[in-house]
Amino acid sequence: MKRLALNRHTKSILKHAAGWFFIVVGVVMIITPGQGLLSILVGIYLLADTVPAFGRLKALIQRKFPKAAAYVDRRLHRRKKGAPTPDPSGSASSPHTRRGFPDSR
């Protein structure tokens, strides 16, 4: 069976479709029970690279809510780069601990 090659163009189309999907579903969820505003924000964040108006709106949101925007950026960049999860205690992790908790082995 042949594998589907996800090149840059295919990923862009899927990201664009997902962004618009989240925006439309978010608008519907504003009227019906659900997380409408959150879905719209996810759609805006996905479309910010391709649609200039959403890019400006994302920049405005980042200026108004810098802590929340920094948190989202850290989470996304960590997943993209595959960096390990930081230690919640703030100290360097030793080989005998995992996420600040003693090793249970």
Side-chain angles (χ1 to χ4, degrees):
M1 186 172 178
K2 213 174 189 182
R3 264 184 89 144
L4 176 65
L6 292 176
N7 60 12
R8 185 182 310 157
H9 185 66
T10 306
K11 287 180 183 178
S12 174
I13 289 173
L14 290 174
K15 186 176 175 182
H16 201 78
W20 282 110
F21 173 77
F22 275 108
I23 289 177
V24 169
V25 168
V27 169
V28 170
M29 281 195 279
I30 286 177
I31 299 167
T32 62
Q35 299 290 331
L37 289 178
L38 183 63
S39 298
I40 292 172
L41 288 174
V42 168
I44 288 171
Y45 202 87
L46 286 172
L47 291 172
D49 297 336
T50 56
V51 180
F54 290 138
R56 289 189 298 271
L57 189 56
K58 178 184 168 187
L60 175 73
I61 291 169
Q62 287 176 334
R63 278 194 312 271
K64 294 279 187 181
F65 306 102
K67 287 184 180 180
Y71 174 77
V72 170
D73 286 337
R74 276 194 317 269
R75 297 287 294 188
L76 288 177
H77 289 288
R78 184 174 66 212
R79 287 194 179 158
K80 285 181 183 177
K81 294 179 183 176
T85 306
D87 186 11
S89 65
S91 63
S93 180
S94 71
H96 302 291
T97 62
R98 193 174 93 212
R99 293 190 176 190
F101 299 106
D103 194 10
S104 61
R105 292 183 219 185

